[in-house]
Amino acid sequence: MNNKIIIINGPNLNLLGEREQSQYGAITFDKLKENCINKSKELGLKTEFIQSNLEGEIVNLIQDARKIYDGMIINAAAFTHTSVAIRDALEIFKKPIIEVHLSNIYKREEFRHKSLISNIVSGGIFGLGDNGYILAIIAIEKLLKYEN
Ligand code: DQA
């Protein structure tokens, strides 16, 4: 079965609901996780939803994920704009990857306009708040179903 996915969240996303609600909305990390798990179950996906503030830990998660999961959704948060190490790990994954950002990174400070991972992922969603995660789950389910 091509139905195991991992949703990886980068630094400070554990503080959703508390940080910059004007950018990220009022949803808490726990509620976002619950919504993603529920949507995944509805679509028959087995989903792990995790968060780390540490770059190396995210690299390890991505490396380990290639042996376990069929697809990935990643909001690398601030590391999106800085981490060659995360980009390199994602390139090794070699299965569908969807990049998500809650905020519209292109409407914000210039340093957020550059994503180091956009040109190696399958596709991306930004600026749609927590709905972006749900849309990414719907999209990856289709990518996995029609793969092979
Ligand atoms: C973010 C956008 C990043 O620029 C920022 O550093 C984040 C969250 C988003 O989801 O909009 O932490 O990835």
Side-chain angles (χ1 to χ4, degrees):
M1 283 283 270
N2 215 14
N3 69 345
K4 286 201 285 299
I5 68 162
I6 183 165
I7 304 180
I8 298 180
N9 293 281
N12 301 307
L13 291 171
N14 54 315
L15 296 185
L16 282 178
E18 184 182 329
R19 71 184 286 226
E20 284 184 279
Q21 290 200 6
S22 58
Q23 293 296 348
Y24 306 122
I27 196 162
T28 61
F29 180 78
D30 286 346
K31 181 65 182 147
L32 178 64
K33 177 174 178 174
E34 188 188 319
N35 290 351
C36 288
I37 299 295
N38 287 343
K39 188 68 192 176
S40 298
K41 280 191 187 143
E42 189 188 311
L43 296 177
L45 294 173
K46 292 196 172 117
T47 297
E48 187 174 348
F49 190 96
I50 42 179
Q51 189 274 335
S52 173
N53 290 324
L54 305 180
E55 184 177 15
E57 199 166 273
I58 294 172
V59 170
N60 284 340
L61 283 168
I62 297 168
Q63 285 189 10
D64 293 346
R66 78 189 196 285
K67 299 172 214 142
I68 306 168
Y69 298 97
D70 305 306
M72 180 185 299
I73 295 169
I74 183 162
N75 182 351
F79 292 142
T80 306
H81 317 297
T82 62
S83 179
V84 176
I86 288 176
R87 177 197 162 91
D88 286 350
L90 289 172
E91 273 202 291
I92 299 163
F93 186 65
K94 302 215 185 307
K95 296 177 199 176
I97 301 173
I98 298 182
E99 175 182 1
V100 170
H101 298 287
L102 294 148
S103 64
N104 182 344
I105 54 176
Y106 301 100
K107 267 192 184 169
R108 302 182 64 191
E109 303 95 325
E110 206 165 326
F111 65 85
R112 295 185 205 274
H113 297 181
K114 177 81 188 156
S115 163
L116 296 186
I117 68 173
S118 287
N119 65 352
I120 54 150
V121 297
S122 312
I125 297 168
F126 57 86
L128 301 179
D130 52 291
N131 276 327
Y133 280 72
I134 301 300
L135 294 171
I137 291 168
I138 293 169
I140 207 157
E141 189 266 337
K142 293 200 186 303
L143 284 176
L144 295 181
K145 196 189 291 176
Y146 300 116
E147 225 190 19
N148 307 314

